[in-house]
């Protein structure tokens, strides 16, 4: 399988001259970032779904449709769609529509999400977090492979009886991934539905996720299925050199980390912790050569077919993000492929 190198953002509300931009401007900036990503040769551009003040994108499909109108090659998807608090029929319809307007470039990454604001917002009880995802994924998988009217029975979501769902996806099933945050059950579930997995690795040595890849391979083999794509989503930033990249990224990454951590009981991030994560963990921060070697090492260790760099970090300014995108596409991606082709140990 050919390696794809992508970029992800949550549409973080950035700052300009020390002042937060309006979320509407942040969304317009994301469109420009995606256009640049295609120009720089990036394979995939993903948008996360959130419903909170620090992230501007609550409807990834709408923003992706705007990007589709200004691009022609780059694949476009969510990172992730919170299926538990959405309706599987509407999700499939929206992404089938995105697939149509983008001429077959749409993807959806389904997950439960690491934030829970969507549950009270849309009237779903948090104590049914797991059951909602399981049942809605089952319906989505049925919709994805249906070739006619759909009949399906559920407990939490109303059943369907010979219902037609429009529009159909033009060329085959909608490309669909399952986002996995570190649960063996999620890995086995993805194998059950014959869907590729995207591992969200946001801390620690990426090699610790190798057992999940092996479990996924075994679960597919038990079902007499071939190996499917495995991807990774991790944060990072590509600067002109290692030292300046760390200095540019750390302050705003810390602000984002500490803001989220204040609601989750995390202690404030120290510079020593940050440097340790850059050196041996899952922060891909540095100059192009450093980031390329670290990505190549992760690809080799986990047997990946896709790597997605979450390049935004809280208020990190749009101008810095644009520079990161350009270096990632033009310098990092070719270097990763060269390292892997040469068989050099990254």
């Amino acid at each position: 399988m050919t390696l794809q190198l992508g970029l992800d953002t949550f549409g973080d509300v950035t700052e300009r001259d020390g002042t937060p931009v309006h979320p509407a401007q942040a969304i317009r900036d994301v469109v420009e970032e995606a256009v640049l990503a295609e120009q720089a040769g990036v394979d995939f551009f993903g948008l996360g779904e959130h419903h909170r003040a620090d992230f501007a994108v609550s409807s990834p499909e709408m923003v992706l449709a705007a990007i589709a109108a200004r691009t022609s090659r780059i694949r476009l998807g969510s990172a992730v769609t919170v299926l538990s608090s959405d309706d599987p029929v509407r999700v499939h319809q929206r992404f089938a529509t995105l697939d149509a307007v983008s001429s077959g470039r749409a993807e959806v990454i389904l997950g439960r999400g690491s934030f829970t604001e969507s549950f009270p917002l849309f009237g779903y009880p948090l104590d049914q977090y797991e059951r909602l995802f399981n049942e809605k994924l089952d319906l989505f998988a049925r919709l994805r492979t249906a070739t006619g009217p759909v009949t399906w029975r559920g407990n939490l979501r109303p059943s369907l009886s010979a219902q037609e769902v429009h529009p159909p996806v033009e060329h085959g099933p909608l490309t669909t991934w399952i986002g996995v945050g570190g649960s063996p059950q999620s890995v086995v579930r993805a194998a059950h539905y014959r869907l590729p997995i995207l591992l969200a690795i946001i801390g620690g040595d990426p090699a610790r996720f190798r057992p999940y890849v092996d479990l996924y391979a075994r679960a597919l083999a038990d079902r007499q299925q071939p190996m499917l794509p495995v991807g990774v989503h991790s944060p990072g930033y590509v600067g002109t050199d290692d030292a300046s990249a760390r200095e540019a990224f750390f302050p705003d990454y810390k602000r984002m980390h500490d803001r989220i951590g204040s609601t989750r009981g995390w202690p404030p991030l120290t510079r020593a912790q940050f440097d340790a994560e850059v050196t041996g963990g899952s922060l891909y921060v540095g100059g192009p050569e450093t980031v390329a070697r670290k990505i190549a090492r992760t690809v080799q260790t986990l047997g990946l077919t896709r790597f997605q760099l979450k390049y935004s970090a809280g208020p990190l300014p749009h101008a810095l993000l644009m520079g990161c995108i350009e270096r990632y596409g033009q310098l990092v991606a070719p270097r990763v492929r060269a390292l892997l082709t040469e068989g050099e140990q990254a």
Side-chain angles (χ1 to χ4, degrees), residues 259-280:
R259 182 176 60 245
I260 295 171
S262 67
T263 66
R264 299 188 178 186
W266 302 345
L269 180 71
T270 67
R271 180 57 189 260
Q273 290 170 326
F274 170 81
D275 288 337
E277 194 65 44
V278 170
T279 301

Side-chain angles (χ1 to χ4, degrees), residues 3-299:
L3 175 67
Q4 295 180 333
L5 293 165
L7 289 167
D8 290 340
T9 179
F10 297 163
D12 307 54
V13 175
T14 59
E15 289 187 355
R16 183 174 297 169
D17 299 324
T19 301
V21 303
H22 192 281
Q25 183 60 52
I27 290 171
R28 290 191 290 269
D29 287 344
V30 165
V31 174
E32 297 302 324
E33 290 159 16
V35 171
L36 177 61
E38 173 167 278
Q39 294 170 351
V42 176
D43 297 313
F44 172 85
F45 192 84
L47 287 181
E49 173 199 343
H50 294 86
H51 304 271
R52 45 188 290 135
D54 43 348
F55 300 125
V57 178
S58 62
S59 180
E61 309 93 322
M62 291 290 291
V63 184
L64 292 168
I67 295 168
R70 296 187 53 192
T71 57
S72 61
R73 179 195 56 80
I74 194 168
R75 297 195 63 79
L76 305 170
S78 59
V80 299
T81 292
V82 185
L83 186 64
S84 310
S85 57
D86 210 328
D87 184 81
V89 174
R90 293 297 287 141
V91 172
H92 194 275
Q93 288 177 322
R94 295 196 300 263
F95 278 91
T97 302
L98 174 64
D99 195 67
V101 300
S102 66
S103 298
R105 292 183 282 137
E107 302 185 6
V108 59
I109 301 172
L110 302 174
R112 290 170 292 181
S114 61
F115 295 90
T116 60
E117 290 85 358
S118 63
F119 286 81
L121 183 63
F122 299 119
Y124 291 100
L126 271 174
D127 61 2
Q128 294 184 353
Y129 183 87
E130 186 75 16
R131 290 181 62 206
L132 283 165
F133 184 75
N134 289 342
E135 183 168 303
K136 291 184 177 187
L137 177 58
D138 188 68
L139 174 54
F140 190 92
R142 177 73 184 89
L143 296 167
R144 180 176 174 270
T145 57
T147 56
V150 176
T151 295
W152 173 88
R153 185 167 300 279
N155 296 308
L156 302 176
R157 197 267 184 206
S159 301
L160 298 179
S161 179
Q163 295 290 315
E164 294 187 354
V165 177
H166 301 287
V169 176
E170 188 173 15
H171 299 293
L174 179 68
T175 300
T176 303
W177 301 67
I178 300 296
V180 176
S183 162
Q185 293 82 3
S186 295
V187 172
V188 174
R189 183 190 297 121
H192 171 73
Y193 289 111
R194 304 176 190 177
L195 294 172
I197 58 172
L198 189 82
L199 302 167
I201 306 179
I202 59 173
D205 186 349
R208 66 192 176 92
F209 276 75
R210 182 69 216 191
Y212 293 97
V213 178
D214 294 339
L215 173 63
Y216 183 56
R218 290 196 304 272
L220 286 168
D222 289 344
R223 293 161 175 79
Q224 298 183 326
Q225 296 298 315
M227 189 61 179
L228 294 173
V230 175
V232 159
H233 155 106
S234 287
Y237 175 78
V238 186
T240 55
D241 59 76
D242 290 354
S244 65
R246 292 192 187 200
E247 293 306 315
F249 192 73
F250 173 69
D252 291 322
Y253 181 78
K254 173 178 169 57
R255 290 171 64 186
M256 178 187 68
H257 177 281
D258 293 353
R259 182 176 60 245
I260 295 171
S262 67
T263 66
R264 299 188 178 186
W266 302 345
L269 180 71
T270 67
R271 180 57 189 260
Q273 290 170 326
F274 170 81
D275 288 337
E277 194 65 44
V278 170
T279 301
S282 295
L283 268 179
Y284 295 75
V285 177
E289 181 68 15
T290 295
V291 174
R293 285 187 172 275
K294 189 166 187 177
I295 292 173
R297 185 162 57 248
T298 299
V299 170

